[in-house]
Amino acid sequence: MAATPRKNKTARRILAAGAGLVTVGALVAAMPSAGAAGDRSGGGHGHGHDKGQGRLVDVQLLSFNDLHGNLEPPTGSSGRLTHLNEDGTTRTIEGVGGVEYLATHLRQARQGHPYSITAAAGDMIGASPLVSGLFHDEPTIEALNGLDLDVTSVGNHEFDEGARELARMQNGGCHPTEGCFEKGKGFRGADFPYLAANVTNEKSGKPLLDPYFVWERNGVRIGFIGVTLEGTADIVSAEGIKGLKFGDEVETINKYAKVLERKGVKSIVALLHEGGLPASGAYNYDCDSPGPGNGISGPIVDIAKNVSPQVDALVTGHTHQAYACTIPDPAGKPRTVTSAASFGRLYTDTTLTYDRRTKDIVRTAVASANHVVSRDVKPAGDMTRLIDRWKTLAAPIANRPVGHIAADIENPIDAYEKPLGDLIADAQLEGMAPADKGGAQLALMNPGGIRAPLSHKASGAEGDGVVTYGEAYTVQPFTNMMTAVDLTGAQLVTALQQQVSGPNQAAPKILQVSKGFTYTLDMTKTGADRVVVSSVRLNGEPIDPAKTYRVAMNEFLSGGGDGFTVLKEHKNKLVGASDLDMFTAYLTAHSSASAPLPVPAADRITVVK
């Protein structure tokens, strides 16, 4: 079926515009030059009326990031925030997020603001719960249209299903193999532009999507430049991004800031899917204490210090952290840098004071704050209806029980070893251990592939402690195929060292390990030295550097994803079932209503701090 007509959409110059072409390279090469159409003016969504033509105009910028298709309120630790009290203590805020409530909060925030823009910094889709992921994230795009999103950058997860599928998200049309999901309805695609200034065709150098977008109302013009992290190719499947290059974030933003400046657009916001790590996990922590940007680390710090002073604000993401602080630009002037955690739990409200005479933002007047998406407001009826509609379609698959748990099995973001990580690694080991399935002796699981906790409280009518297929899918939505490979003991140790060195030194990616595999991580040291080599053991026996071991892992890891380049050196790969199938099979085999699965002890990695 053809897509239904799309409203308020300018034709996007994006690779899949020519559906008859067969390769990404050919599609991108066929596009016209990116410069011409990038200067589209966006009228916005008309939140109010112009109340005057004074010299200074307050423009409201509402922003969020890393939604990951979380339409329903996230559960467990994924639905919590930490609040920092004035006396330095903290408290946990339970029950936050959910697109029904995000919609209400955004709509309330826009009231009284005739100049209001809503923008996002990537990962709106991908790694999504079943109610969105089962339908290739069409429900989330539909919800974002309803939220009146004006513009977003792409993130790495926008490429989870490849560049072609990202094109369909933008341009609409039914899924190429599964068709249309609702009888008599097509998919219209996104009403907002996806920006990817630093994603280019390797041969032509042309951007995959529009590099920038210009929002305009009553002569007030603000340009948005969208980029994803340069390292995207290292953390997504290589197959879907063949022929694409991911460029340097700073160089790209600075390049298009000059383009916008030449077009007379002097007020510029960068939407950047890369982020930082504040010193506190509290959403309201002041990361300008004791000085501008002193309380934040990670990639965003160097990026912000080098992005052109022409850029007035940076909306960031990727790290799933919350911050609203200032980092000095190359000229030494303070510049706001924000991130709204993840899963729709927060939104950021930034006031950009626009000077009509200079056509620029008055930096000293910029103010930003993160706001909790609490559930004590009336849910937006249109979003409730949207969710109910898609849940009804998903119900026959989503509601099937697959196991039982005795209590919450958490996936805490700040823990190196996670109870849920242990459970998943054990499931993968069991699935790949039989001789005819791969003969695995241990399993390794990437922490970023675990997307949500398992909550004991029922999400529907299934009853407390029952794990449904939909809940298991939300935990492992990628449906990666499992592999069993040969690695030497020396390669295994190198893999452990790569968790905390090289690209992972600043933000360690600690692999979750199966039962019987143990070692000590000494975080008082730096780099590869953090792994105590003599402590690495399998079933109590020290790892022999010269011996060959059979190791289970998903295809993302065996392809060297997340900076684990040594894992690409494997031999004798055997491909098994999907990670999700192994997870659900393990839950079914090892639990029942009378004997639910206990919470794993998370005692395999000894951490010295």
Side-chain angles (χ1 to χ4, degrees):
M1 283 179 64
T4 52
R6 286 170 279 148
K7 296 180 290 185
N8 304 322
K9 297 189 70 171
T10 305
R12 312 284 185 217
R13 292 160 304 93
I14 186 168
L15 78 166
L21 299 174
V22 293
T23 66
V24 169
L27 286 163
V28 179
M31 292 191 304
S33 168
D39 193 21
R40 295 191 320 277
S41 291
H45 299 286
H47 313 304
H49 304 281
D50 186 18
K51 295 181 179 178
Q53 295 288 334
R55 175 175 166 179
L56 298 181
V57 178
D58 281 345
V59 178
Q60 179 189 58
L61 174 61
L62 302 176
S63 58
F64 56 97
N65 51 276
D66 296 275
L67 180 65
H68 290 289
N70 278 264
L71 303 182
E72 295 183 273
T75 63
S77 54
S78 294
R80 296 182 190 133
L81 288 169
T82 300
H83 179 89
L84 183 64
N85 299 320
E86 289 187 9
D87 62 2
T89 60
T90 60
R91 62 183 172 88
T92 299
I93 302 177
E94 298 280 357
V96 297
V99 76
E100 299 159 281
Y101 304 98
L102 176 60
T104 298
H105 280 281
L106 291 177
R107 290 165 186 174
Q108 289 178 348
R110 291 171 185 144
Q111 292 175 10
H113 293 276
Y115 296 87
S116 184
I117 313 167
T118 303
D123 278 7
M124 296 294 97
I125 58 174
S128 305
L130 184 133
V131 73
S132 185
L134 186 64
F135 306 106
H136 300 277
D137 279 318
E138 290 182 19
T140 296
I141 297 297
E142 184 181 338
L144 292 170
N145 288 342
L147 287 177
D148 285 345
L149 182 64
D150 285 297
V151 60
T152 183
S153 66
V154 295
N156 53 289
H157 281 282
E158 262 79 19
F159 293 92
D160 281 350
E161 294 192 50
R164 266 186 190 278
E165 180 65 1
L166 173 57
R168 191 177 74 87
M169 293 294 100
Q170 179 73 90
N171 292 332
C174 296
H175 193 270
T177 58
E178 296 184 36
C180 298
F181 295 112
E182 295 181 285
K183 188 175 181 179
K185 280 189 177 182
F187 171 57
R188 78 185 196 191
D191 287 346
F192 51 89
Y194 262 116
L195 305 181
N198 67 331
V199 186
T200 57
N201 175 265
E202 284 183 330
K203 293 180 179 177
S204 70
K206 294 177 181 177
L208 174 68
L209 298 93
D210 288 340
Y212 60 85
F213 167 79
V214 178
W215 180 94
E216 182 174 9
R217 176 165 301 127
N218 298 329
V220 175
R221 303 179 79 203
I222 297 180
F224 290 85
I225 302 167
V227 299
T228 185
L229 71 154
E230 183 181 9
T232 292
D234 298 325
I235 52 177
V236 300
S237 172
E239 186 64 29
I241 57 170
K242 279 184 178 178
L244 297 179
K245 179 182 178 182
F246 295 83
D248 181 87
E249 304 97 332
V250 171
E251 290 177 9
T252 304
I253 293 170
N254 290 350
K255 171 185 174 179
Y256 285 105
K258 290 178 181 177
V259 171
L260 286 168
E261 184 90 0
R262 288 197 298 268
K263 291 178 177 291
V265 180
K266 296 182 179 180
S267 299
I268 303 171
V269 175
L271 305 175
L272 168 62
H273 193 70
E274 179 60 290
L277 302 166
S280 167
Y283 77 91
N284 60 331
Y285 165 70
D286 179 10
C287 50
D288 278 343
S289 179
N294 285 354
I296 190 169
S297 60
I300 196 58
V301 177
D302 284 341
I303 291 172
K305 287 180 177 178
N306 288 284
V307 163
S308 167
Q310 291 174 289
V311 176
D312 297 295
L314 283 76
V315 177
T316 73
H318 188 56
T319 57
H320 289 203
Q321 302 296 309
Y323 46 86
C325 53
T326 57
I327 298 174
D329 69 13
K333 291 177 62 181
R335 177 168 53 194
T336 188
V337 180
T338 69
S339 174
S342 61
F343 304 156
R345 294 175 293 164
L346 293 172
Y347 71 92
T348 311
D349 191 333
T350 301
T351 299
L352 301 172
T353 300
Y354 183 90
D355 187 327
R356 288 185 183 275
R357 184 171 65 81
T358 65
K359 300 181 181 179
D360 208 348
I361 299 299
V362 181
R363 285 267 205 97
T364 53
V366 172
S368 295
N370 278 320
H371 298 273
V372 176
V373 178
S374 61
R375 300 178 199 162
D376 57 358
V377 296
K378 184 179 180 180
D382 57 331
M383 294 296 153
T384 303
R385 290 188 293 275
L386 182 152
I387 292 168
D388 288 346
R389 200 177 85 240
W390 289 103
K391 281 181 70 175
T392 299
L393 284 175
I397 296 172
N399 296 341
R400 176 169 59 88
V402 295
H404 298 78
I405 55 175
D408 290 349
I409 302 182
E410 293 284 7
N411 181 46
I413 192 171
D414 55 351
Y416 290 139
E417 183 181 358
K418 309 166 193 294
L420 189 51
D422 286 359
L423 174 59
I424 289 170
D426 288 351
Q428 294 178 351
L429 174 60
E430 183 167 293
M432 300 299 286
D436 63 339
K437 302 292 186 184
Q441 297 165 275
L442 69 142
L444 304 175
M445 175 63 194
N446 56 305
I450 308 170
R451 306 304 302 184
L454 280 179
S455 297
H456 185 265
K457 183 177 175 59
S459 59
E462 74 274 13
D464 290 350
V466 177
V467 180
T468 64
Y469 182 84
E471 291 166 339
Y473 182 103
T474 298
V475 170
Q476 292 205 277
F478 297 107
T479 319
N480 275 312
M481 303 309 291
M482 288 300 301
T483 65
V485 300
D486 284 351
L487 291 173
T488 66
Q491 289 171 322
L492 261 177
V493 170
T494 298
L496 297 181
Q497 293 171 329
Q498 287 180 343
Q499 301 175 117
V500 289
S501 62
N504 294 331
Q505 180 159 332
K509 290 187 172 71
I510 306 302
L511 296 167
Q512 304 301 286
V513 298
S514 55
K515 58 187 175 185
F517 189 73
T518 57
Y519 69 98
T520 296
L521 200 57
D522 187 349
M523 298 305 290
T524 66
K525 298 181 179 179
T526 58
D529 290 340
R530 289 169 166 174
V531 175
V532 181
V533 175
S534 61
S535 70
V536 184
R537 285 174 163 71
L538 179 61
N539 299 323
E541 296 294 322
I543 288 291
D544 183 344
K547 186 177 176 180
T548 296
Y549 297 87
R550 290 292 283 170
V551 186
M553 66 186 78
N554 60 44
E555 283 196 306
F556 173 72
L557 274 180
S558 60
D562 271 352
F564 292 98
T565 55
V566 70
L567 298 180
K568 290 195 291 187
E569 300 171 12
H570 65 260
K571 296 179 180 178
N572 301 323
K573 181 169 81 170
L574 185 146
V575 179
S578 75
D579 53 5
L580 178 59
D581 285 347
M582 289 189 181
F583 184 43
T584 57
Y586 187 88
L587 288 168
T588 300
H590 292 275
S591 68
S592 65
S594 59
L597 264 177
V599 178
D603 56 0
R604 300 164 191 182
I605 304 172
T606 300
V607 180
V608 178
K609 293 184 178 180

